[in-house]
Coordinates of all heavy atoms in Angstrom, one line a residue:
E1 N 16.8 35.8 15.5 CA 16.1 34.5 15.8 C 15.7 33.8 14.5 O 15.5 34.5 13.4 CB 14.8 34.8 16.6 CG 15.1 35.5 17.9 CD 13.8 35.6 18.8 OE1 13.3 34.6 19.2 OE2 13.4 36.8 18.9
G2 N 15.6 32.5 14.6 CA 15.3 31.7 13.4 C 14.7 30.4 13.8 O 14.9 29.9 14.9
R3 N 13.9 29.8 12.9 CA 13.3 28.5 13.0 C 13.6 27.7 11.8 O 13.5 28.1 10.7 CB 11.7 28.6 13.1 CG 11.0 27.3 13.2 CD 9.5 27.6 13.1 NE 8.6 26.4 13.3 CZ 8.3 25.6 12.3 NH1 8.8 25.7 11.1 NH2 7.5 24.5 12.5
Y4 N 14.1 26.4 12.1 CA 14.6 25.6 11.0 C 14.1 24.2 11.2 O 14.0 23.6 12.3 CB 16.2 25.6 11.1 CG 16.7 27.0 11.1 CD1 17.0 27.6 12.3 CD2 16.9 27.7 9.9 CE1 17.5 28.9 12.3 CE2 17.4 29.0 9.9 CZ 17.7 29.6 11.1 OH 18.2 30.9 11.1
Q5 N 13.6 23.6 10.1 CA 12.9 22.3 10.1 C 13.6 21.4 9.1 O 13.9 21.7 7.9 CB 11.5 22.6 9.7 CG 10.7 21.3 9.5 CD 10.2 20.7 10.8 OE1 9.9 21.5 11.7 NE2 10.1 19.4 10.9
M6 N 13.8 20.1 9.5 CA 14.3 19.1 8.7 C 13.3 17.9 8.7 O 12.9 17.5 9.8 CB 15.7 18.5 9.2 CG 16.9 19.4 8.7 SD 16.9 21.1 9.5 CE 17.1 20.7 11.2
S7 N 12.9 17.5 7.5 CA 11.9 16.4 7.4 C 12.6 15.0 7.6 O 13.8 14.9 7.5 CB 11.2 16.4 6.1 OG 10.5 17.6 5.9
P8 N 11.8 14.0 7.9 CA 12.4 12.6 8.0 C 13.0 12.3 6.6 O 12.5 12.7 5.6 CB 11.2 11.7 8.3 CG 10.2 12.7 8.9 CD 10.4 14.0 8.2
I9 N 14.0 11.5 6.6 CA 14.7 11.1 5.4 C 14.8 9.5 5.4 O 15.4 9.0 6.3 CB 16.1 11.7 5.2 CG1 16.0 13.2 5.3 CG2 16.7 11.2 3.9 CD1 17.3 13.9 5.2
E10 N 14.3 8.9 4.4 CA 14.4 7.4 4.3 C 15.7 7.1 3.6 O 16.1 7.7 2.6 CB 13.2 6.9 3.4 CG 13.4 5.5 2.8 CD 13.6 4.4 3.9 OE1 13.2 4.5 5.0 OE2 14.3 3.4 3.5
Q11 N 16.5 6.1 4.1 CA 17.8 5.8 3.6 C 17.7 5.2 2.2 O 18.6 5.3 1.4 CB 18.5 4.8 4.5 CG 18.7 5.4 5.9 CD 17.6 5.2 6.9 OE1 16.5 4.7 6.4 NE2 17.7 5.4 8.1
A12 N 16.6 4.5 1.9 CA 16.3 3.9 0.6 C 17.5 3.0 0.1 O 18.0 3.3 -1.0 CB 16.0 5.0 -0.4
P13 N 17.9 2.0 0.8 CA 18.9 1.1 0.3 C 18.4 0.3 -0.9 O 17.2 0.0 -1.0 CB 19.2 0.2 1.5 CG 17.9 0.2 2.2 CD 17.3 1.5 2.1
I14 N 19.2 0.0 -1.8 CA 18.8 -0.9 -3.0 C 18.4 -2.2 -2.4 O 17.4 -2.8 -2.9 CB 20.0 -1.0 -4.0 CG1 20.3 0.3 -4.6 CG2 19.6 -2.1 -5.0 CD1 21.5 0.3 -5.6
E15 N 19.1 -2.8 -1.5 CA 18.7 -4.1 -0.8 C 17.9 -3.7 0.4 O 18.3 -3.0 1.3 CB 20.0 -4.8 -0.3 CG 19.7 -6.0 0.5 CD 20.9 -6.5 1.3 OE1 21.5 -5.6 2.0 OE2 21.3 -7.6 1.2
T16 N 16.6 -4.2 0.4 CA 15.8 -3.9 1.5 C 16.2 -4.8 2.7 O 16.9 -5.8 2.6 CB 14.3 -4.2 1.2 OG1 14.2 -5.6 0.8 CG2 13.8 -3.4 0.0
C17 N 15.7 -4.4 3.9 CA 16.1 -5.1 5.1 C 15.5 -6.6 5.1 O 14.4 -6.8 4.6 CB 15.5 -4.4 6.3 SG 16.3 -2.9 6.8
G18 N 16.3 -7.5 5.6 CA 15.8 -8.9 5.7 C 16.8 -9.8 6.3 O 18.0 -9.4 6.6
A19 N 16.4 -11.0 6.5 CA 17.2 -12.1 7.1 C 16.7 -13.4 6.8 O 15.5 -13.6 6.5 CB 17.3 -11.9 8.6
I20 N 17.6 -14.4 6.7 CA 17.2 -15.8 6.5 C 17.8 -16.6 7.7 O 19.0 -16.5 8.0 CB 17.8 -16.4 5.2 CG1 17.2 -15.7 4.0 CG2 17.4 -17.9 5.1 CD1 17.7 -16.1 2.7
A21 N 17.0 -17.3 8.4 CA 17.4 -18.1 9.6 C 17.1 -19.6 9.3 O 16.1 -19.9 8.7 CB 16.7 -17.6 10.8
A22 N 18.0 -20.4 9.9 CA 17.8 -21.9 9.7 C 18.3 -22.6 10.9 O 19.3 -22.2 11.5 CB 18.5 -22.3 8.4
P23 N 17.7 -23.8 11.2 CA 18.3 -24.6 12.3 C 19.6 -25.1 11.9 O 19.9 -25.5 10.8 CB 17.2 -25.7 12.5 CG 16.0 -25.2 11.7 CD 16.5 -24.3 10.7
E24 N 20.5 -25.2 12.9 CA 21.8 -25.8 12.8 C 21.8 -27.0 13.7 O 20.8 -27.4 14.3 CB 23.0 -24.9 13.1 CG 23.3 -23.9 12.0 CD 24.6 -23.2 12.3 OE1 25.0 -23.0 13.5 OE2 25.3 -22.8 11.3
Q25 N 23.0 -27.6 13.9 CA 23.1 -28.7 14.8 C 23.2 -28.2 16.3 O 23.5 -27.1 16.5 CB 24.4 -29.6 14.5 CG 24.4 -30.1 13.1 CD 23.3 -31.1 12.9 OE1 23.0 -31.9 13.7 NE2 22.6 -31.0 11.7
N26 N 22.9 -29.1 17.2 CA 23.1 -28.9 18.7 C 22.3 -27.7 19.2 O 22.7 -26.9 20.0 CB 24.6 -28.6 19.0 CG 25.5 -29.7 18.6 OD1 25.1 -30.9 18.7 ND2 26.7 -29.4 18.0
G27 N 21.1 -27.6 18.6 CA 20.2 -26.6 19.1 C 20.6 -25.1 18.7 O 20.1 -24.2 19.4
R28 N 21.4 -25.0 17.7 CA 21.8 -23.6 17.3 C 21.1 -23.2 16.1 O 20.5 -24.1 15.4 CB 23.3 -23.6 17.0 CG 24.2 -23.9 18.2 CD 25.7 -23.8 17.9 NE 26.1 -22.5 17.9 CZ 27.0 -22.0 17.0 NH1 27.4 -22.7 16.0 NH2 27.3 -20.7 17.1
F29 N 21.1 -21.9 15.8 CA 20.4 -21.4 14.6 C 21.4 -20.4 13.9 O 22.0 -19.6 14.5 CB 19.1 -20.6 15.0 CG 18.1 -21.5 15.6 CD1 18.1 -21.8 17.0 CD2 17.2 -22.2 14.8 CE1 17.2 -22.6 17.6 CE2 16.2 -23.0 15.4 CZ 16.3 -23.3 16.8
V30 N 21.4 -20.5 12.6 CA 22.2 -19.6 11.8 C 21.3 -18.5 11.2 O 20.1 -18.8 11.0 CB 22.9 -20.4 10.6 CG1 21.9 -21.0 9.6 CG2 23.9 -19.5 9.9
C31 N 21.9 -17.3 11.1 CA 21.1 -16.2 10.6 C 21.9 -15.4 9.7 O 23.0 -14.8 10.1 CB 20.6 -15.3 11.7 SG 19.5 -13.9 11.2
Y32 N 21.6 -15.4 8.4 CA 22.2 -14.6 7.4 C 21.4 -13.3 7.3 O 20.2 -13.3 7.1 CB 22.2 -15.3 6.0 CG 23.0 -16.5 5.9 CD1 22.5 -17.8 6.2 CD2 24.4 -16.5 5.6 CE1 23.2 -18.9 6.2 CE2 25.2 -17.6 5.6 CZ 24.6 -18.8 5.8 OH 25.3 -20.0 5.8
T33 N 22.1 -12.2 7.4 CA 21.3 -10.9 7.6 C 22.0 -9.8 6.9 O 23.2 -9.8 6.6 CB 21.2 -10.6 9.1 OG1 20.7 -9.3 9.3 CG2 22.6 -10.6 9.8
S34 N 21.2 -8.7 6.6 CA 21.7 -7.5 5.9 C 22.1 -6.5 6.9 O 22.4 -5.3 6.5 CB 20.6 -7.0 5.0 OG 19.5 -6.5 5.8
T35 N 22.2 -6.8 8.2 CA 22.4 -5.8 9.2 C 23.8 -5.1 9.0 O 24.7 -5.7 8.5 CB 22.4 -6.4 10.6 OG1 22.6 -5.4 11.6 CG2 23.5 -7.5 10.8
Q36 N 23.8 -3.8 9.4 CA 25.1 -3.1 9.5 C 25.8 -3.3 10.8 O 26.9 -2.9 10.9 CB 24.8 -1.6 9.3 CG 24.3 -1.1 8.0 CD 24.0 0.4 8.0 OE1 22.9 0.8 8.0 NE2 25.1 1.2 7.9
A37 N 25.1 -3.8 11.8 CA 25.7 -3.9 13.2 C 25.4 -5.3 13.7 O 24.5 -5.6 14.4 CB 25.0 -2.9 14.1
L38 N 26.3 -6.2 13.3 CA 26.1 -7.6 13.6 C 26.0 -8.0 15.0 O 25.1 -8.7 15.4 CB 27.3 -8.5 13.0 CG 27.0 -9.9 12.7 CD1 26.0 -10.1 11.6 CD2 28.3 -10.6 12.3
F39 N 26.8 -7.3 15.9 CA 26.7 -7.6 17.3 C 25.5 -7.0 18.0 O 24.9 -7.5 18.9 CB 28.0 -7.2 18.0 CG 29.1 -8.2 17.8 CD1 30.0 -8.0 16.7 CD2 29.2 -9.4 18.5 CE1 31.0 -8.9 16.5 CE2 30.2 -10.3 18.3 CZ 31.1 -10.0 17.2
F40 N 25.0 -5.8 17.5 CA 23.8 -5.3 18.0 C 22.6 -6.3 17.6 O 21.7 -6.5 18.5 CB 23.5 -3.9 17.3 CG 24.2 -2.8 18.0 CD1 24.5 -1.7 17.3 CD2 24.5 -2.8 19.3 CE1 25.1 -0.6 17.9 CE2 25.2 -1.8 20.0 CZ 25.5 -0.7 19.2
S41 N 22.6 -6.7 16.4 CA 21.5 -7.7 16.0 C 21.6 -9.0 16.7 O 20.5 -9.5 17.1 CB 21.6 -7.9 14.5 OG 21.5 -6.7 13.7
L42 N 22.8 -9.4 17.0 CA 22.9 -10.7 17.8 C 22.4 -10.4 19.2 O 21.7 -11.3 19.8 CB 24.4 -11.0 17.8 CG 24.8 -12.2 18.8 CD1 24.2 -13.5 18.3 CD2 26.3 -12.4 18.8
G43 N 22.8 -9.3 19.8 CA 22.4 -9.0 21.2 C 20.9 -8.9 21.3 O 20.2 -9.4 22.2
T44 N 20.3 -8.2 20.3 CA 18.8 -8.0 20.3 C 18.1 -9.3 20.2 O 17.2 -9.6 20.9 CB 18.4 -7.0 19.2 OG1 19.0 -5.7 19.4 CG2 16.9 -6.9 19.1
S45 N 18.6 -10.2 19.3 CA 17.9 -11.4 19.1 C 18.0 -12.3 20.3 O 17.1 -13.0 20.7 CB 18.5 -12.2 17.9 OG 18.3 -11.4 16.7
A46 N 19.2 -12.3 20.9 CA 19.4 -13.1 22.2 C 18.5 -12.7 23.3 O 17.9 -13.5 24.0 CB 20.8 -13.1 22.6

């Protein structure tokens, strides 16, 4: 028998998380983002 423990690990990217959003034409909005999963972020925002 054995017990094994792993602590939380922070990814520590050089670029911290963030986004810049701005109004576009026709009621649209542009979002420049550091996401790794563009369609996940799009779906979540919608």
Side-chain angles (χ1 to χ4, degrees):
E1 299 185 70
R3 176 188 185 274
Y4 307 93
Q5 173 81 34
M6 280 64 65
S7 298
I9 302 176
E10 161 62 28
Q11 300 87 350
I14 295 177
E15 173 198 53
T16 60
C17 288
I20 298 176
E24 280 191 335
Q25 301 297 318
N26 302 321
R28 300 181 78 220
F29 296 88
V30 64
C31 182
Y32 295 92
T33 171
S34 65
T35 182
Q36 290 178 257
L38 202 65
F39 284 93
F40 278 153
S41 299
L42 173 64
T44 295
S45 298

